[in-house]
Amino acid sequence: QMPLVESGGGLVQAGGSLRLSCAASGRTFSPYRMGWFRQAPGKEREFAAALRWSSGFTVYADSVEGRFTLSRDKAKNSLFLQMDNLKPEDTAVYFCAAQSSSSTVGYDYWGHGIQVTVSS
């Protein structure tokens, strides 16, 4: 099991910043990768950013490149998403996801999601 719990969401004005956290529980935690997805009202869930757990290599969607930064704390089994220069179009529910090392279907663990609202 790899329960994922997100925190850090909320309401912020355009141009502001938020830092999302994703904490994973479990005695052994060594996913292949972790990432953040988001789903805006009336839209499908979309990829935002991902991080290779072992190397720290990161990938970002074009829409967040240069504004969002991923990091991890291996000792705390945690993933962080620093979101700067937020825009109203970043408003969405953000989901933390993890792909276990044995997964053959991509991300196999998901958090419940956390709301991020950016006002104009």
Side-chain angles (χ1 to χ4, degrees):
Q1 294 294 320
M2 197 187 307
L4 303 175
V5 180
E6 302 102 333
S7 62
L11 173 65
V12 64
Q13 288 188 332
S17 298
L18 283 175
R19 185 174 188 244
L20 302 184
S21 299
C22 175
S25 61
R27 290 182 297 174
T28 58
F29 182 77
S30 184
Y32 171 67
R33 61 179 174 175
M34 292 189 71
W36 288 94
F37 291 74
R38 63 186 187 180
Q39 187 167 17
K43 295 186 177 181
E44 294 188 353
R45 189 176 300 186
E46 66 175 12
F47 168 79
L51 177 147
R52 195 79 58 86
W53 194 253
S54 60
S55 66
F57 179 77
T58 55
V59 176
Y60 299 93
D62 289 344
S63 58
V64 307
E65 179 82 52
R67 300 187 299 120
F68 290 11
T69 304
L70 274 173
S71 61
R72 70 188 183 321
D73 184 333
K74 286 187 172 181
K76 297 182 178 180
N77 293 347
S78 294
L79 179 73
F80 306 101
L81 182 66
Q82 178 65 40
M83 304 185 295
D84 297 317
N85 190 22
L86 282 161
K87 304 176 181 180
E89 50 264 42
D90 293 318
T91 295
V93 176
Y94 284 70
F95 297 88
C96 176
Q99 178 177 348
S100 63
S101 56
S102 60
S103 172
T104 59
V105 294
Y107 292 94
D108 48 347
Y109 292 92
W110 293 84
H112 291 295
I114 191 164
Q115 179 69 46
V116 171
T117 302
V118 184
S119 63
S120 57

